[in-house]
Amino acid sequence: MATKTLLRLREVAVSAGLVPIVASASMEVAPRECVGISGPNGSGKTTLLRVLATLRPPDRGEGEVLGEALGGPGVRNIRPRISLLGHEPALAPELSLLDNLRFHARLRSGSTKSAEEVLETVGLKGAMDRRAIDCSAGMLRRADLARLFLHSPDLLLLDEPTDGLDQDARPLVAAAIEACLERDGAAVVVSHDASNLAETSTRIHYLDGGVLR
């Protein structure tokens, strides 16, 4: 990969009206790094992850993600190179798990695996034809993780990725991160519990009082 830094923030701040959510966030992430961000609930971790996903421009400060300035028009070009796993599964409730994954495969070109293959990878081979609305929370979380194996993102953004997963499924998170890093990509993982970040992160930042330390 041409650039030595995939992600850079300089005193980025985000507010909701007059209420500051993130007061100051500065960091750099290089290829093959998995950076953890921990902090109490409500500290702004999810908001910061949305900034990194180019879904929310910063109100102050500046940053670059995959060579494009945050808040600039070029972020549209890099979004296909970013995979975000949020709190809620990105699945249409009336579609089967298989149709959901096929839809995601069509949304982004360059899928490296089939929808059937990734569902089998996450242990849902026998539930491919079940509608998302009829699945348990744990199954939906597994299906959402399957999206990460469909493509080859340069930047992986994970928000409390082990929530709702049983112990047997948790290694899937580490596998998705490892695959991204092996391609010279990078990952940012947020969790309120720093112990959830210890095994996969090369370093951990703490977001508290709106400041990333």
Side-chain angles (χ1 to χ4, degrees):
M1 198 160 291
T3 180
K4 292 184 178 180
T5 302
L6 299 185
L7 184 162
R8 180 183 293 110
L9 301 180
R10 303 184 193 90
E11 298 183 359
V12 161
V14 182
S15 300
L18 298 177
V19 180
I21 301 175
V22 177
S24 179
S26 299
M27 69 173 182
E28 293 189 4
V29 180
R32 292 182 173 265
E33 277 196 301
C34 177
V35 175
I37 298 178
S38 186
N41 292 330
S43 60
K45 302 185 301 298
T46 295
T47 297
L48 184 57
L49 213 60
R50 288 180 57 80
V51 171
L52 299 180
T54 75
L55 300 176
R56 170 68 161 90
D59 294 319
R60 295 185 304 280
E62 58 183 11
E64 299 87 36
V65 173
L66 302 179
E68 294 291 345
L70 289 174
V75 297
R76 292 184 179 182
N77 300 326
I78 63 170
R79 282 176 184 161
R81 299 167 58 193
I82 301 171
S83 286
L84 170 66
L85 184 76
H87 286 291
E88 297 297 327
L91 303 170
E94 296 299 330
L95 293 181
S96 69
L97 298 183
L98 181 58
D99 285 340
N100 265 292
L101 269 293
R102 285 174 172 169
F103 174 73
H104 280 287
R106 289 195 298 269
L107 280 179
R108 296 164 66 175
S109 60
S111 294
T112 57
K113 297 182 179 180
S114 69
E116 292 88 346
E117 187 177 357
V118 296
L119 284 170
E120 184 173 355
T121 297
V122 300
L124 293 174
K125 180 180 180 179
M128 292 184 184
D129 295 325
R130 188 179 302 186
R131 294 187 308 166
I133 197 171
D134 297 324
C135 294
S136 67
M139 292 172 66
L140 292 177
R141 197 61 168 167
R142 283 179 182 247
D144 212 25
L145 274 171
R147 294 189 300 109
L148 306 182
F149 295 97
L150 266 180
H151 309 287
S152 301
D154 294 322
L155 181 60
L156 198 56
L157 305 173
L158 307 179
D159 195 349
E160 304 282 0
T162 58
D163 277 8
L165 288 178
D166 53 48
Q167 288 296 327
D168 290 341
R170 291 191 172 204
L172 294 170
V173 175
I177 293 171
E178 183 179 358
C180 183
L181 270 54
E182 286 179 349
R183 296 188 301 268
D184 289 337
V188 178
V189 187
V190 306
S191 176
H192 67 279
D193 186 350
S195 65
N196 290 333
L197 305 171
E199 290 187 7
T200 56
S201 300
T202 51
R203 70 178 187 274
I204 299 176
H205 292 263
Y206 293 89
L207 186 60
D208 197 9
V211 179
L212 189 67
R213 308 181 190 281

